[in-house]
Amino acid sequence: MRASARCRQCFDIRDLLQVEDLFRTAKALMRTRPIYHSSDAAIRRHVFCSFLALVLRKELDERCRVAGPRPEWADVLRELDRLQEMELNKDGRQVIMRTPATGIIGPLFKAARIALPANIREPASI
């Protein structure tokens, strides 16, 4: 029983170290500064959003580990920033164009099981 509890403790410490590493990496990549909140509700919202971001990052890391790609997060942010979409209107016809998913972004979306829309498409009817 004690060995089992020690194993769980080790996993908890490993997860804590991973969370600390994720925070450190995210803060460095996004060049964030300290944030000061004026209410308890704002603090709770900030903690919730930060926790959600960590859960999503951990899930994406796990999916990448299974699927193969091992992205550097600075590259991911840079390439995501390049991914853009625009709507063109000519002679009453609308077309939506998207830049191609280059570099690690294509495999990353595939590992996350996210289907990107076509590079050129007509807008969806609402």
Side-chain angles (χ1 to χ4, degrees):
M1 183 72 169
R2 284 189 171 191
S4 175
R6 283 191 190 126
C7 281
R8 280 196 306 271
Q9 217 174 19
C10 287
F11 287 121
D12 291 342
I13 290 171
R14 188 188 69 201
D15 285 344
L16 178 61
L17 292 173
Q18 184 178 16
V19 166
E20 288 175 353
D21 183 54
L22 289 173
F23 265 123
R24 195 171 25 259
T25 303
K27 285 176 68 176
L29 289 174
M30 297 178 194
R31 296 181 209 105
T32 59
R33 294 188 211 141
I35 298 172
Y36 302 99
H37 297 291
S38 58
S39 70
D40 287 347
I43 293 169
R44 283 192 294 277
R45 287 190 297 265
H46 182 90
V47 169
F48 173 77
C49 289
S50 296
F51 179 75
L52 181 60
L54 286 172
V55 169
L56 291 173
R57 166 78 187 269
K58 187 171 181 178
E59 178 64 22
L60 185 57
D61 279 341
E62 179 60 24
R63 288 185 183 195
C64 285
R65 187 187 64 74
V66 170
R70 301 296 296 179
E72 288 292 326
W73 292 104
D75 296 337
V76 170
L77 290 176
R78 187 174 39 258
E79 290 178 24
L80 280 174
D81 194 42
R82 291 181 190 147
L83 195 61
Q84 298 179 18
E85 184 175 273
M86 71 177 117
E87 186 175 320
L88 301 173
N89 296 303
K90 178 157 173 127
D91 299 329
R93 184 169 180 242
Q94 292 181 320
V95 175
I96 298 174
M97 296 180 67
R98 175 182 57 80
T99 56
T102 59
I104 191 66
I105 296 301
L108 189 70
F109 275 97
K110 187 174 181 179
R113 297 182 215 133
I114 297 172
L116 286 170
N119 287 355
I120 301 174
R121 66 185 190 286
E122 292 186 15
S125 300
I126 296 177

